[in-house]
Amino acid sequence: MLWAWLAMAAGLGLLYVGAEGLVRGSASLAGRLGLTPLVIGLTVVAFGTSMPELAVSVEAALNDRSAIALGNVVGSNIGNIGLILALAAMVTPLAVQAKVLRVDTPLVIAVSVLLLILVSDGHLGRIEGTALVVGVLAYVAFSLWSARRESAVVHAEFAEGVPAPSGSVGRDILFVVVGLAVLVVGARMLVQGAITVAEAAGLSDAVIGLTIVAIGTSLPELAASVVAAAKGEGDIAVGNVLGSNLFNILGILGITSLIQPLESGGVGPTDLWVMVGFAVLLAPLMRTGWRIGRWEGVMLLLLYVSYLALVISGKG
């Protein structure tokens, strides 16, 4: 049992390191290709910080642990708002100026509802996966178009928060390749450890996926958003969360279900409705002067802790 916990801890560490390397290398390469920091932040960085979720979900699906794969995404999306955005807002109130993020909020609600509908039959197949992947491609295209209409202030903010090209192209490629390799190894260790812990402790795959695995794979988003908040870069902190939630559903579940169709297992309607609820809750919070204050962060965190308690007490 101890080795399983150690494997999970090591896996989480490798996922964080791998995601950091991947984001740094890919962001630098994107900058060399002429993409603006705003576009890089909304797409490359957001997708890069979601790579742990992709690696873990694919690994779990290939091991016939669909509940871990789906629970990882659903739990991460809930945690991104209830934990990460909450902590970031508690560090400093988050002011949102980017117009594209005001559009991303209803998009997150829409894709959350879409996932609820798609999984209502307990299955997420390749047809649904194809539709989700098409959706993420459309979102990237929309982000590229929207970025051209943003103010100079927003562009300057992302320029400060997004890694600039450094070193050589070969170094960037090395970061990407090594980052991907480390992600694969970390995902394998985390999933195998989680399976062992779940079986030994009598917990379901869904509980492990919705809690420990989901929180662990969200570490890159946590680090990026809290650091951005501390620097007063509210758009980056919120953009990381919204972009990650969109990529998690459209990209991560889309790609995973294309590789291996998923069964919902113990991830039930309650979990999906909570995910939708947190997304819906963002709308009025963002509308209060397009600012998320400390007390709102505290409220989100309390709701998230209550959800975790409900999951652990009701699904063991």
Side-chain angles (χ1 to χ4, degrees):
M1 184 70 167
L2 177 60
W3 77 263
W5 282 105
L6 292 175
M8 288 179 64
L12 289 173
L14 290 175
L15 286 173
Y16 180 79
V17 171
E20 282 289 300
L22 178 63
V23 168
R24 181 175 299 183
S26 56
S28 183
L29 284 173
R32 296 181 195 279
L33 293 174
L35 295 183
T36 66
L38 176 57
V39 171
I40 294 172
L42 293 175
T43 57
V44 177
V45 174
F47 189 66
T49 54
S50 291
M51 286 303 291
E53 283 91 341
L54 176 60
V56 168
S57 290
V58 170
E59 177 69 21
L62 292 176
N63 279 274
D64 294 323
R65 300 283 180 161
S66 291
I68 292 180
L70 182 59
N72 175 37
V73 167
V74 173
S76 290
N77 277 21
I78 294 172
N80 280 349
I81 297 173
L83 175 64
I84 294 173
L85 202 59
L87 291 177
M90 289 165 66
V91 170
T92 186
L94 305 174
V96 178
Q97 301 179 73
K99 297 175 184 176
V100 64
L101 297 184
R102 303 180 185 187
V103 177
D104 278 1
T105 303
L107 281 179
V108 169
I109 297 173
V111 298
S112 299
V113 172
L114 175 63
L115 180 61
L116 173 67
I117 295 171
L118 292 179
V119 186
S120 61
D121 62 352
H123 179 77
L124 195 66
R126 289 191 172 94
I127 294 177
E128 292 95 332
T130 301
L132 292 176
V133 170
V134 170
V136 78
L137 294 176
Y139 170 70
V140 170
F142 168 76
S143 295
L144 292 172
W145 174 79
S146 297
R148 300 177 180 178
R149 308 175 62 187
E150 287 295 349
S151 67
V153 173
V154 172
H155 279 280
E157 181 180 351
F158 275 83
E160 292 180 5
V162 172
S166 60
S168 64
V169 174
R171 180 172 175 268
D172 294 341
I173 294 175
L174 181 63
F175 268 116
V176 171
V177 173
V178 173
L180 286 171
V182 172
L183 278 170
V184 171
V185 174
R188 186 156 297 178
M189 294 179 68
L190 176 60
V191 170
Q192 293 301 325
I195 290 173
T196 302
V197 169
E199 292 175 346
L203 298 173
S204 68
D205 285 352
V207 170
I208 292 293
L210 288 164
T211 57
I212 297 174
V213 174
I215 293 172
T217 56
S218 294
L219 288 176
E221 288 95 336
L222 175 60
S225 294
V226 171
V227 168
K231 293 180 179 179
E233 298 166 343
D235 287 301
I236 296 178
V238 176
N240 283 334
V241 167
L242 295 179
S244 177
N245 279 23
L246 286 166
F247 277 117
N248 281 349
I249 294 176
L250 299 174
I252 308 310
L253 284 183
I255 293 171
T256 302
S257 57
L258 278 175
I259 296 173
Q260 178 69 41
L262 301 174
E263 303 296 329
S264 61
V267 181
T270 299
D271 305 301
L272 292 163
W273 275 111
V274 169
M275 179 187 68
V276 172
F278 269 95
V280 170
L281 191 57
L282 266 185
L285 293 183
M286 296 278 279
R287 287 286 179 181
T288 55
W290 295 104
R291 187 173 180 273
I292 302 177
R294 286 192 175 92
W295 74 268
E296 293 165 325
V298 171
M299 180 189 69
L300 288 172
L301 184 60
L302 289 175
L303 289 173
Y304 180 65
V305 171
S306 299
Y307 168 70
L308 289 182
L310 176 66
V311 170
I312 294 172
S313 65
K315 291 191 176 182

